[in-house]
Amino acid sequence: MGSSHSKSYSLTEDVRKPTIGTTSLSADEPSTNRHHHHHGFDADRDAKKLHGACKGAGTDEKKIIEVLSSRTSEQRQQIKEKYKALYNKDLEEVLKGDLSGNFEKAVLALLDLPCEYEARELRKAMKGAGTDESLLIEILCTRNNKEIVNIKEAYKRLFDRDLESDVKSDTSGSLEKILVTVLEATRDETQQVNAELAEQDATDLYKAGEGRWGTEELAFNVVLAKRSYSQLRATFQAYEKVCGKDIEESIKSETSGDLEKAYLTLVSCAKDCPGYFATLLHKSMKGAGTDEETLIRILVTRAESDLPAIKEKFQQMYKKSLAEAVRSDTSGDFRKLLLALLH
């Protein structure tokens, strides 16, 4: 009896955890600006505010930024439904007509659920003549099982197409194989580490990499796409012992092009996903031009998952805050919106 009794208590554990997470994110922010749980959320009021911001002579960008940046993705969905019910128009279409440039792109990105936005990005990467492999890799090789499943469903819903079939017809060879394996969304997501398996996988990877690449990427695909992140970290350590060099070095010397990029992305996500995104953000702002698309994509899709960790990592790696970097690399309403998201 006692044992079955204790089971019911473990439920309270699960209930408690998320609240700890959310409060710590917003504990140091003024209550009016809490991103994650707006107690005063009122879809009706927000829809009317947005309507007012788009009506008449000028557009009130400040109001648009205020509403959209302070709501969660789910809340923005409710605002869209409310808007449609009240004005019989799609909020996206109205904003599209009123806004332009990167500000418009960022606003429209916020109106999608992250999985829908990612599905659109993937479709864009494959439609037409060329394929943007880097984008496929950035999205597919960095997401957890649930996110992959949601992206596949959104892709089907939005385009009535099968993501896996499109990826297969738009990529080939080894890159196709690893992306299809990742799309199966069967990564182990437990925390336990099996030391023997780590040794075994490390040995398999070492053998696979020893000048017999081409026939042997299968070992890499299975290990990098199926093992848990904590398991992979153990494997990479074991690999260094067996091989005398780290796994990235081996990948760089044995592969090239998009396959190399896919493998390195999988490795760096297993090692440190926020660090991976911090590096991408830094690259998108370094040098002459700014890659606004990447900036929008990462800030919008990670806003409700690991953005706080990404900000922290960015600060550590580049000795300045992500907000400072964004401030000096963007301008106008686009800058205001991104800074509001980073708040």
Side-chain angles (χ1 to χ4, degrees):
M1 185 63 204
S3 65
S4 68
H5 208 77
S6 63
K7 269 204 189 96
S8 59
Y9 283 123
S10 69
L11 286 175
T12 55
E13 271 301 271
D14 299 336
V15 177
R16 254 194 351 258
K17 269 186 212 128
T19 42
I20 295 168
T22 39
T23 45
S24 68
L25 285 182
S26 40
D28 51 2
E29 297 175 6
S31 56
T32 48
N33 260 329
R34 286 200 177 164
H35 265 243
H36 290 266
H37 43 191
H38 256 259
H39 296 302
F41 172 60
D42 176 349
D44 191 74
R45 194 181 55 210
D46 282 351
K48 286 177 178 152
K49 254 192 203 166
L50 289 171
H51 182 64
C54 299
K55 216 171 60 201
T59 307
D60 185 347
E61 287 87 358
K62 188 169 179 289
K63 211 175 259 175
I64 295 171
I65 293 169
E66 216 169 86
V67 172
L68 295 182
S69 69
S70 63
R71 301 294 179 242
T72 66
S73 164
E74 278 302 333
Q75 289 169 338
R76 291 190 287 260
Q77 301 312 302
Q78 294 172 41
I79 296 169
K80 278 175 13 181
E81 282 165 30
K82 205 47 157 178
Y83 192 93
K84 180 86 171 160
L86 287 169
Y87 307 108
N88 200 20
K89 279 194 271 212
D90 286 326
L91 181 56
E92 298 97 306
E93 295 307 315
V94 173
L95 290 169
K96 236 185 235 172
D98 273 12
L99 311 176
S100 63
N102 291 310
F103 180 56
E104 176 194 353
K105 279 183 196 156
V107 164
L108 294 176
L110 284 170
L111 290 177
D112 271 330
L113 288 170
C115 61
E116 294 170 335
Y117 178 67
E118 286 155 342
R120 287 185 211 280
E121 289 283 283
L122 290 168
R123 181 81 190 109
K124 208 168 67 190
M126 294 185 283
K127 226 169 80 180
T131 301
D132 181 349
E133 289 85 0
S134 297
L135 188 62
L136 297 184
I137 292 166
E138 181 204 310
I139 294 178
L140 297 177
C141 294
T142 59
R143 300 307 194 251
N144 63 32
N145 294 340
K146 177 111 183 69
E147 288 167 330
I148 298 254
V149 170
N150 289 342
I151 291 170
K152 289 199 283 195
E153 285 169 0
Y155 196 88
K156 185 85 185 128
R157 192 167 67 240
L158 292 171
F159 308 112
D160 197 26
R161 302 175 68 94
D162 179 64
L163 180 56
E164 194 179 317
S165 313
D166 279 357
V167 167
K168 279 180 179 161
S169 67
D170 265 63
T171 55
S172 59
S174 308
L175 178 67
E176 176 190 342
K177 283 193 192 112
I178 184 66
L179 292 179
V180 168
T181 312
V182 166
L183 275 169
E184 288 167 9
T186 50
R187 185 184 293 285
D188 169 26
E189 289 181 344
T190 57
Q191 290 306 308
Q192 291 90 3
V193 172
N194 175 336
E196 271 169 50
L197 180 64
E199 300 280 332
Q200 183 57 55
D201 280 347
T203 311
D204 289 349
L205 293 181
Y206 179 59
K207 284 188 193 141
E210 284 298 84
R212 293 210 311 279
W213 279 76
T215 51
E216 294 292 330
E217 339 92 324
L218 190 62
F220 266 78
N221 290 359
V222 169
V223 173
L224 293 178
K226 305 288 179 196
R227 303 284 187 259
S228 74
Y229 282 170
S230 35
Q231 183 66 33
L232 282 174
R233 290 193 289 273
T235 304
F236 301 153
Q237 279 174 337
Y239 186 89
E240 262 173 73
K241 278 201 198 96
V242 176
C243 194
K245 54 178 176 178
D246 72 23
I247 187 106
E248 281 104 330
E249 281 176 73
S250 294
I251 291 171
K252 283 175 186 156
S253 66
E254 298 286 351
T255 59
S256 62
D258 294 320
L259 183 64
E260 177 187 337
K261 202 179 270 178
Y263 283 163
L264 290 175
T265 299
L266 288 161
V267 169
S268 61
C269 260
K271 284 188 170 179
D272 174 13
C273 222
Y276 168 79
F277 285 116
T279 308
L280 273 190
L281 285 166
H282 179 68
K283 274 191 198 140
S284 76
M285 294 183 279
K286 215 177 62 191
T290 302
D291 173 0
E292 291 88 359
E293 303 256 325
T294 298
L295 212 48
I296 294 170
R297 187 169 52 248
I298 297 174
L299 295 185
V300 168
T301 59
R302 310 312 291 178
E304 287 170 50
S305 51
D306 51 0
L307 191 56
I310 293 169
K311 281 161 45 171
E312 205 173 300
K313 208 71 207 183
F314 192 94
Q315 176 76 47
Q316 269 172 27
M317 292 166 78
Y318 304 109
K319 304 292 172 261
K320 62 173 170 187
S321 74
L322 181 51
E324 280 170 75
V326 167
R327 189 176 289 123
S328 66
D329 254 64
T330 54
S331 60
D333 293 314
F334 178 53
R335 173 202 280 167
K336 287 181 193 144
L337 176 58
L338 294 186
L339 290 176
L341 288 175
L342 283 169
H343 183 75

